[in-house]
Amino acid sequence: MNKTLRAGAVALVVALVAGAVVWSQAPATAASASDAKAPSVLSVNAIAPTTQVWPDIVQGSGPLAAWQEIIVSPETGGLRIAELLVDVGSNVKRGDVLARLANESLQADLRKQEASVAQARATLEQAVSNLRRAKDVESSGALSAQKVEDYRITEATSRASLASAGAELDSIRLKLRQTRIVAVDDGVVSSKSAVLGNVVSAGTEMFRLVRQGRVEWRPELDARQVSRLRVGQKAYASLPSGERVEGRVRLIGPTLSTSTGRATVYVSLSGHGSERLGMFVNGVIELASRPAQTLPQTAVTLRDGRAYVYLVGAGNEVASLAVTTERRQGDRVEVEGLPAGVRVVAEGGAFLSDGVQVTVLEAQETVGAPPQGVAR
């Protein structure tokens, strides 16, 4: 029994000593853990926002349309289309022949009418001769005054018949010229409804041309935006291909739609690239310039439909900040809502979250002239 008690006492003493040792070491371990820094999750560049003078812009969207359209149709009807010389997309010049109509029947009418003119001319010559002889013998009393008047009326009638036959001949010649369907101005063939062999009527549309190949962008803007526009302001339309076409405001719609409250703005485009009629494109119209606080586009992270930047704080910990993006130029974007004197993570924001620590490779102050490009 005494051995059992002694063994228990020894075990108790050993436990107490071990607990004291553990208790004495615990504060040191906790202190060392608190002193250790959290590991860096990413190496980043820190930059400062730059203030640059950019043109203010009005953004809009609308279709591409022809500056003016030319509808090509025959002026004479009842003839068959004998030849089609152009197709959709063809560039044509003023006076170029686009199609020909069959003219065999008109050629026959021409010959017939030329004969009628010759006959009327011969009749007139005879009437003139008869009237001259009648006047020569009128004073001798060989012919009565009534008979002389008949000769005079016959001569006038023959002269009128010749004029009528000549006018009819001119009409047939005009119809013959009209069998050549020509372009009335330079342009690009945008549609072709003519079918070879079809008998057309006068006024039937055969071709449609984009006059002088000029294409317009026609955005619809509200009253506030329209009030800031002026004729001649520079504009840029962004095509689906990625191409950006420069233009100028040609006309500002004088009225607003009663249903949408918007007015159409007509922007003449200077490019002749991949723009196609009917394209619905976005673009901007440049106004007066004003200062802009800008960052590289890589510094802005889109998340849940909002734009964020990551600020580098004390101890190189990052914190997200919701911002508003405005104008864009080149690879930079205007950002509103940044405090003064902040450092922003230049790129890689998609891999960060609030409170994480980063390694700052170098602090860059982005200065210098604005990048090349245009606002969009």
Side-chain angles (χ1 to χ4, degrees), residues 131 205 275 356:
L131 178 60
E205 179 179 328
E275 62 266 28
V356 303

Side-chain angles (χ1 to χ4, degrees), residues 8-347:
V10 172
L12 179 60
V13 170
V14 171
L16 291 174
V17 172
V21 172
V22 171
W23 180 84
S24 64
Q25 292 178 348
T29 304
S32 63
S34 63
D35 292 340
K37 292 184 177 180
S40 172
V41 299
L42 191 66
S43 296
V44 300
N45 290 325
I47 61 173
T50 300
T51 299
Q52 298 172 336
V53 178
W54 283 0
D56 202 357
I57 60 173
V58 169
Q59 296 182 339
S61 58
L64 299 184
W67 164 58
Q68 290 182 4
E69 280 193 319
I70 301 173
I71 296 178
V72 180
S73 57
E75 298 179 69
T76 185
L79 300 177
R80 172 177 51 85
I81 299 176
E83 192 175 8
L84 295 174
L85 302 177
V86 297
D87 208 339
V88 175
S90 300
N91 287 281
V92 298
K93 299 294 183 181
R94 182 185 183 95
D96 285 354
V97 179
L98 310 182
R100 288 190 176 90
L101 304 181
N103 61 4
E104 291 84 357
S105 60
L106 290 176
Q107 291 286 359
D109 291 341
L110 177 66
R111 292 191 297 271
K112 179 179 178 181
Q113 191 60 34
E114 287 174 342
S116 297
V117 169
Q119 182 178 4
R121 184 175 292 110
T123 301
L124 174 61
E125 290 176 355
Q126 182 180 8
V128 169
S129 178
N130 291 340
L131 178 60
R132 185 179 64 254
R133 289 194 300 269
K135 287 182 176 180
D136 290 342
V137 298
E138 181 179 10
S139 58
S140 65
L143 290 176
S144 65
Q146 181 178 358
K147 189 63 175 178
V148 173
E149 183 65 15
D150 289 343
Y151 284 132
R152 188 190 66 77
I153 294 175
T154 301
E155 186 269 344
T157 303
S158 299
R159 193 176 298 278
S161 297
L162 176 60
S164 175
E168 183 66 23
L169 179 61
D170 291 340
S171 176
I172 295 175
R173 287 172 176 168
L174 176 61
K175 289 181 179 180
L176 274 173
R177 289 196 297 271
Q178 291 172 348
T179 59
R180 300 168 66 254
I181 311 300
V182 300
V184 298
D185 200 354
D186 299 352
V188 179
V189 180
S190 59
S191 70
K192 182 186 75 172
S193 53
V195 179
L196 191 66
N198 190 30
V199 176
V200 294
S201 302
T204 301
E205 179 179 328
M206 296 179 64
F207 301 95
R208 190 172 291 233
L209 308 182
V210 179
R211 188 178 181 187
Q212 298 178 7
R214 291 172 55 182
V215 177
E216 287 188 335
W217 174 46
R218 297 180 179 177
E220 293 186 353
L221 305 177
D222 59 35
R224 181 182 60 84
Q225 294 172 315
V226 169
S227 65
R228 305 171 65 191
L229 300 184
R230 299 293 182 272
V231 173
Q233 289 172 330
K234 187 180 293 186
Y236 295 89
S238 299
L239 304 183
S241 63
E243 181 183 359
R244 300 176 64 236
V245 182
E246 181 178 343
R248 295 279 179 178
V249 175
R250 180 181 68 85
L251 178 66
I252 301 171
T255 60
L256 301 179
S257 169
T258 56
S259 58
T260 64
R262 292 174 172 267
T264 300
V265 179
Y266 301 82
V267 178
S268 296
L269 300 180
S270 58
H272 294 281
S274 59
E275 62 266 28
R276 296 290 183 271
L277 299 185
M279 280 184 175
F280 198 87
V281 303
N282 299 320
V284 296
I285 301 173
E286 290 188 356
L287 309 177
S289 298
R290 62 178 173 84
Q293 192 176 37
T294 70
L295 287 172
Q297 295 190 40
T298 55
V300 180
T301 301
L302 298 179
R303 184 176 296 161
D304 299 328
R306 299 192 63 182
Y308 294 87
V309 297
Y310 280 91
L311 308 182
V312 180
N316 289 343
E317 288 188 357
V318 298
S320 64
L321 175 66
V323 295
T324 301
T325 59
E326 297 290 343
R327 295 169 288 173
R328 297 176 186 270
Q329 182 166 315
D331 61 351
R332 299 186 70 83
V333 59
E334 179 184 9
V335 178
E336 294 184 353
L338 287 177
V342 295
R343 293 188 303 161
V344 180
V345 175
E347 57 184 342

